């Protein structure tokens, strides 16, 4: 797919990976529908994408809400008259151990609300956005591309029961949808980043982060544009579908 003039939805586009990826696609001539919860971040993202030459519009929507996601994709098609791609990037963390014990006594458990919050945004949100995007793409009768953001943590990671479950689910749904949607000329792929220099990682404990970087063969975090260029590759390579690209500096969890 040539990105020039294509309409791409990016969720979680207000900051971090979503913002950098939106800017990379804008630089390649795409037009952007930018989705986030924070209106201030969205206004800034629209301004930056327009400076990069794109037509950009902002949409405040919670990807975990079925009604809001249905309205979002209907609005995007109404506003732009097209929908060529979507990047299901919005995500959150609520890290914690399954159970924490001291002297044989369980002192803490992962709370159901922390499990549910991550599943709602990182798994259900991806399902809802992909479902609505695919529906619109089929109705528009043009080729489309769906990119889901998984994570290296999909293999299982200490302190991330909720996040690993969601990201493994995202990888599995990607393969399923690639099989189901190929007949409609829709390709589906995922990116599983390692640890990336974004606000999400900036919130990590500094000592833990330093230790983690030491274990990465390339000895550094990824920069967001190193993930963004992977998204551009997936859009541009028409033979790429049903696979998860790992961009992790060689780190295996
Ligand atoms: P980030 O800096 O925290 O940005 C995430 C964005 O998603 C924020 O703008 C946030 O908006 C938005 N968002 C959160 N919940 C939302 C919802 N329910 N509906 C709509 N938007 C929502 O995170 P990031 O590091 O860029 O991560 C982006 C994606 O990459 C996530 O899926 C993450 O799991 C994945 N990933 C990140 C890393 C990493 O090391 N950073 C590694 C592997 C995978 P608000 O700020 O307004 O809440």
């Amino acid at each position: 797919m040539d990105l020039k003039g294509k309409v791409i939805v990016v969720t979680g586009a207000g900051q971090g990976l979503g913002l950098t990826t939106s800017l990379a696609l804008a630089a390649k001539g795409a037009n952007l529908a930018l989705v986030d919860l924070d209106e201030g971040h969205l206004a800034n993202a629209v301004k930056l994408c327009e400076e990069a030459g794109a037509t950009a519009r902002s949409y405040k929507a919670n990807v975990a809400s079925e009604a809001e996601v249905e309205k979002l994709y209907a609005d995007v098609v109404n506003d732009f008259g097209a929908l060529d791609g979507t990047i299901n990037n919005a995500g959150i963390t609520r890290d914690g151990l399954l159970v924490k014990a001291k002297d044989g006594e369980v002192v803490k458990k992962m709370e159901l609300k922390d499990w549910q919050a991550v599943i709602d945004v990182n798994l259900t949100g991806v399902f809802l956005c992909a479902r609505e995007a695919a529906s619109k793409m089929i109705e528009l009768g043009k080729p489309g591309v769906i990119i889901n953001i998984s994570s290296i943590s999909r293999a299982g990671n200490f302190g991330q029961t909720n996040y690993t479950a969601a990201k493994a689910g995202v990888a599995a749904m990607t393969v399923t949808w690639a099989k189901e949607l190929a007949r409609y000329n829709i390709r589906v792929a995922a990116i599983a980043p390692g640890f990336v220099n974004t606000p999400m990682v900036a919130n990590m404990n500094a000592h833990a982060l330093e230790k983690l970087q030491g274990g990465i063969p390339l000895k550094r975090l990824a920069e967001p544009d190193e993930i963004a260029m992977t998204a551009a590759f997936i859009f541009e390579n028409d033979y790429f579908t049903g696979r998860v690209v790992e961009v992790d500096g060689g780190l295996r969890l």
Side-chain angles (χ1 to χ4, degrees), residues 12 14-17 36-38 61-63 89-92 121 149-151 163 167 193-196 198-201:
Q15 63 176 29
L17 274 183
D36 207 286
L37 294 170
D38 186 306
N62 176 1
V63 297
N89 164 81
I92 59 170
V121 177
I149 305 300
S150 178
S151 165
Y163 189 81
K167 294 300 187 182
F195 292 89
V196 190
T198 71
M200 183 181 269
V201 165

Side-chain angles (χ1 to χ4, degrees), residues 12 28 35 37 58 63 68-69 76 122 152 167 176 184 195 199 203 233 237 242:
K28 283 180 168 281
V35 184
L37 294 170
S58 66
V63 297
E68 290 184 33
V69 173
V76 169
N122 296 13
I152 188 177
K167 294 300 187 182
T176 301
Y184 304 111
F195 292 89
N203 289 334
F233 161 78
N237 188 333

Side-chain angles (χ1 to χ4, degrees), residues 7 10 57 64 76 86 100 103 109 111 127 129 139 153 171 173 189 198 215 222 226 241 243:
V7 176
V10 180
R57 287 171 179 270
V76 169
T86 193
K100 190 174 177 184
D103 303 327
K109 299 178 187 174
E111 291 188 35
F127 156 71
C129 290
E139 285 167 8
S153 295
M173 294 192 299
T198 71
E226 292 169 323
T241 197
R243 295 289 174 266

Side-chain angles (χ1 to χ4, degrees), residues 90-201:
I92 59 170
T93 51
R94 297 284 184 276
D95 292 353
L97 298 175
L98 179 67
V99 288
K100 190 174 177 184
K102 205 174 170 204
D103 303 327
E105 292 283 326
V106 172
V107 292
K108 205 168 176 209
K109 299 178 187 174
M110 177 174 277
E111 291 188 35
L112 182 59
K113 71 173 171 46
D114 289 337
W115 162 267
Q116 201 59 54
V118 171
I119 295 298
D120 286 351
V121 177
N122 296 13
L123 187 64
T124 307
V126 172
F127 156 71
L128 290 172
C129 290
R131 188 189 72 181
E132 293 312 302
S135 303
K136 294 294 175 206
M137 287 168 179
I138 291 168
E139 285 167 8
L140 289 162
K142 296 243 179 79
V145 178
I146 296 172
I147 299 179
N148 301 320
I149 305 300
S150 178
S151 165
I152 188 177
S153 295
R154 73 192 168 113
N157 192 28
F158 199 94
Q160 289 199 308
T161 296
N162 43 9
Y163 189 81
T164 56
K167 294 300 187 182
V170 165
M173 294 192 299
T174 299
V175 177
T176 301
W177 298 336
K179 290 175 178 172
E180 291 182 4
L181 300 174
R183 74 192 66 175
Y184 304 111
N185 260 323
I186 299 171
R187 295 186 291 110
V188 188
I191 303 172
F195 292 89
V196 190
N197 191 7
T198 71
M200 183 181 269
V201 165

